[in-house]
Amino acid sequence: MEGVKTMSKPIVAVVGRPNVGKSTLFNQIGKKRVSIVDDMPGVTRDRIYMDAEWLNHEFTIIDTGGIEFDESDHILRSMRSQAELAMEEADVILFLVDGRAGLTSSDEEVGRLLRRTQKPVILAVNKIDSFDREALIYDFYSLGLGDPIPISASNAMNLGDLLDAIVASFPEDTGEGAESDEIAIAVVGRPNVGKSSLVNRLLGEERVIVSDMPGTTRDAIDTHFVRDGANYLLIDTAGMRRKGKITLPVERYSVMRSLRAIDRAAVVVMVINAAEGILEQDTKIAGYVHESGKGVIIVVNKWDIFPDKNDKSTLRFTDDLREKLGFLQYAPVLYTSALTGQRVERVTELVKYVAEQQSMRIKTSVLNELIRDAVSVNPPPTKKGKQLKILFVTQVGIAPPTFIIFVNDPELMHFSYLRFIENRLRESFGFEGTPLRLVVRARKEEE
């Protein structure tokens, strides 16, 4: 199996009062991102995070205002919570204020809080939409957070300078992204689904922990262990955090910490509580996992207390999973009890299997033969009298397996036909537990 890189993208958290333009800025920064999965049914639309890139630096930007804070909260209390979350988890904090409204007491309070953090803070003054308004930024020097950067999120003015400042503040690359023969595992899920118990059971049974090393986030512990001759790295997530460090409800951490853990992992173990069934937050987490392009297995935990169990229960629960988590059709499902240890030993077996599936490469000649057969069984669609022709297919990457499909006209490729090709690839080669990326490109037909 090829080594998989586990480099972590820096996290940039956006903090600020309501209506200062956080969402507009968020959308402007993420605008150039073209997502292959935007049309996937079921992928969550109400984004609070987005992957972005500037000058070859990839990062994840998070709108902390979108992380469900109690709306009955006083604005200042809610902002303070956002700032605390950002201080705890982000690599860079982007503090957005409103130049037209001027400096408010809420801004000053949050500024005091941010001055105490060890993290880089970028202060951006929004709604400065012409150079003659730049004098509006001077009041904000009193926040003591360095030079305010004047911007207009709505017309993208000065966004380049802002992104330069953000990228310049990223932590130095520690070389953590080097390829390794360890399989990095992130255990994610809603609070109280049994993540900690599952992890403790996994590690308790190995008794061969190689070392405990601090992870990339404060107080996180990455645990290295060996099982059946394979090396694993267990990435600490929200459920494993020392309770004393949490000043906010655990739910507020789970999004940001899960994103960071998913980003660093090769395979994600998504845990669902059998006794509670599949809830809306499960579908959101599944959406993050799918979009990340990582391998995934679904662990249905607490199976020992599933009510009214009979010989058809697993089939029915799996059908329910496939329906509600539609975009994770490819993920193997394992029914466990961390309490009794039932089937927990199979978790690492499945993780290893999925990591191998992720790293599989298919020869170009074999791929094109498969596509020729598929096209003869189900001819490509026609649009306005013109038929789609698939000219050539090649695999260009692994983890996730990525294929470029060269066609006469990409406009003719219908989503359902792309799904048909994906299904044929899975029937022939497996690719269990890993998403596939299919990229359609135009190529001239040979005369």
Side-chain angles (χ1 to χ4, degrees):
M1 188 187 79
E2 297 187 40
V4 176
K5 291 191 177 184
T6 59
M7 186 183 294
S8 180
K9 290 192 197 95
I11 285 184
V12 178
V14 185
V15 171
R17 286 185 296 111
N19 305 317
V20 293
K22 293 196 297 290
S23 298
T24 310
L25 178 65
F26 187 68
N27 292 330
Q28 285 281 18
I29 290 174
K31 205 180 222 172
K32 297 183 178 62
R33 174 178 175 262
V34 180
S35 172
I36 274 169
V37 294
D38 271 354
D39 295 331
M40 290 274 181
V43 169
T44 176
R45 284 284 185 277
D46 52 341
R47 290 194 175 282
I48 60 162
Y49 79 98
M50 198 175 305
D51 287 334
E53 188 178 338
W54 180 252
L55 304 178
N56 294 325
H57 291 274
E58 291 185 0
F59 58 97
T60 300
I61 184 163
I62 294 188
D63 177 4
T64 58
I67 295 177
E68 295 145 22
F69 292 96
D70 181 1
E71 287 182 13
S72 65
D73 254 8
H74 182 271
I75 284 174
L76 176 56
R77 262 209 313 277
S78 182
M79 274 188 73
R80 196 184 290 122
S81 297
Q82 292 173 28
E84 285 172 2
L85 175 66
M87 286 164 65
E88 194 79 27
E89 298 299 344
D91 295 296
V92 176
I93 299 164
L94 174 55
F95 183 20
L96 193 64
V97 293
D98 181 339
R100 280 192 214 150
L103 187 63
T104 68
S105 56
S106 296
D107 294 333
E108 289 177 331
E109 176 74 22
V110 172
R112 267 196 292 279
L113 205 58
L114 294 178
R115 278 202 302 275
R116 294 204 297 270
T117 183
Q118 302 301 305
K119 307 287 174 73
V121 178
I122 309 289
L123 175 61
V125 184
N126 193 21
K127 306 185 186 178
I128 308 290
D129 44 19
S130 65
F131 289 109
D132 56 359
R133 285 178 173 267
E134 282 197 20
L136 296 174
I137 73 169
Y138 295 120
D139 277 356
F140 295 97
Y141 273 97
S142 66
L143 289 172
L145 293 170
D147 293 338
I149 299 174
I151 65 162
S152 169
S154 58
N155 62 25
M157 181 183 129
N158 232 13
L159 277 200
D161 284 4
L162 178 64
L163 287 163
D164 284 347
I166 289 170
V167 166
S169 301
F170 287 161
E172 292 289 311
D173 183 8
T174 56
E176 183 195 340
E179 289 203 3
S180 159
D181 64 349
E182 281 185 326
I183 303 169
I185 307 169
V187 180
V188 302
R190 289 185 296 107
N192 308 318
V193 291
K195 298 190 294 288
S196 303
S197 308
L198 184 73
V199 164
N200 291 339
R201 175 69 72 164
L202 267 174
L203 297 176
E205 286 188 359
E206 328 305 16
R207 303 195 190 289
V208 285
I209 296 171
V210 178
S211 61
D212 281 351
M213 291 174 68
T216 54
T217 59
R218 257 182 334 133
D219 306 321
I221 298 291
D222 285 357
T223 308
H224 304 257
F225 67 96
V226 179
R227 173 141 190 187
D228 298 330
N231 297 314
Y232 298 92
L233 166 66
L234 194 66
I235 296 167
D236 181 25
T237 58
M240 292 168 254
R241 193 180 180 84
R242 290 212 313 271
K243 292 288 186 288
K245 295 302 288 185
I246 300 181
T247 52
L248 302 171
V250 174
E251 287 85 339
R252 297 184 191 168
Y253 281 96
S254 57
V255 171
M256 210 183 274
R257 287 188 68 84
S258 294
L259 280 173
R260 191 188 281 281
I262 289 166
D263 190 44
R264 293 180 55 217
V267 179
V268 177
V269 175
M270 181 175 169
V271 187
I272 285 172
N273 182 338
E276 293 178 351
I278 301 137
L279 305 183
E280 187 192 358
Q281 203 183 344
D282 293 318
T283 64
K284 284 187 176 179
I285 293 168
Y288 302 153
V289 174
H290 171 72
E291 287 193 314
S292 74
K294 307 294 179 160
V296 57
I297 69 172
I298 298 171
V299 169
V300 181
N301 193 33
K302 306 192 183 183
W303 193 242
D304 53 320
I305 56 169
F306 184 75
D308 307 324
K309 201 160 35 177
N310 60 39
D311 57 353
K312 298 225 170 29
S313 295
T314 52
L315 286 172
R316 275 204 296 272
F317 201 99
T318 302
D319 285 345
D320 196 28
L321 268 176
R322 297 299 185 209
E323 188 183 332
K324 289 178 178 164
L325 310 183
F327 35 84
L328 289 186
Q329 298 289 338
Y330 50 83
V333 182
L334 185 63
Y335 291 84
T336 68
S337 165
L339 190 68
T340 66
Q342 182 186 24
R343 282 188 285 276
V344 171
E345 80 287 343
R346 290 214 53 221
V347 171
T348 45
E349 288 170 31
L350 263 180
V351 163
K352 186 179 179 204
Y353 171 67
V354 166
E356 286 163 354
Q357 297 284 295
Q358 266 191 302
S359 300
M360 190 159 42
R361 289 187 186 272
I362 310 298
K363 281 185 178 172
T364 300
S365 56
V366 175
L367 270 178
N368 285 282
E369 193 177 327
L370 171 82
I371 296 299
R372 275 195 298 274
D373 289 348
V375 165
S376 64
V377 171
N378 180 9
T382 303
K383 190 175 179 182
K384 294 181 182 170
K386 189 176 180 185
Q387 186 172 40
L388 174 73
K389 287 184 186 169
I390 297 179
L391 308 170
F392 185 73
V393 182
T394 187
Q395 184 175 355
V396 293
I398 58 166
T402 303
F403 302 87
I404 294 186
I405 303 170
F406 291 100
V407 300
N408 57 336
D409 181 356
E411 295 290 311
L412 300 172
M413 176 64 85
H414 192 270
F415 178 76
S416 59
Y417 201 74
L418 214 50
R419 179 58 59 88
F420 163 70
I421 292 172
E422 177 177 332
N423 290 340
R424 291 307 288 254
L425 286 167
R426 291 189 185 281
E427 284 164 23
S428 303
F429 307 115
F431 290 121
E432 199 174 353
T434 179
L436 300 182
R437 297 284 184 254
L438 306 180
V439 183
V440 182
R441 293 263 169 84
R443 178 168 154 175
K444 282 186 180 170
E445 294 179 65
E446 291 175 8
E447 297 299 321

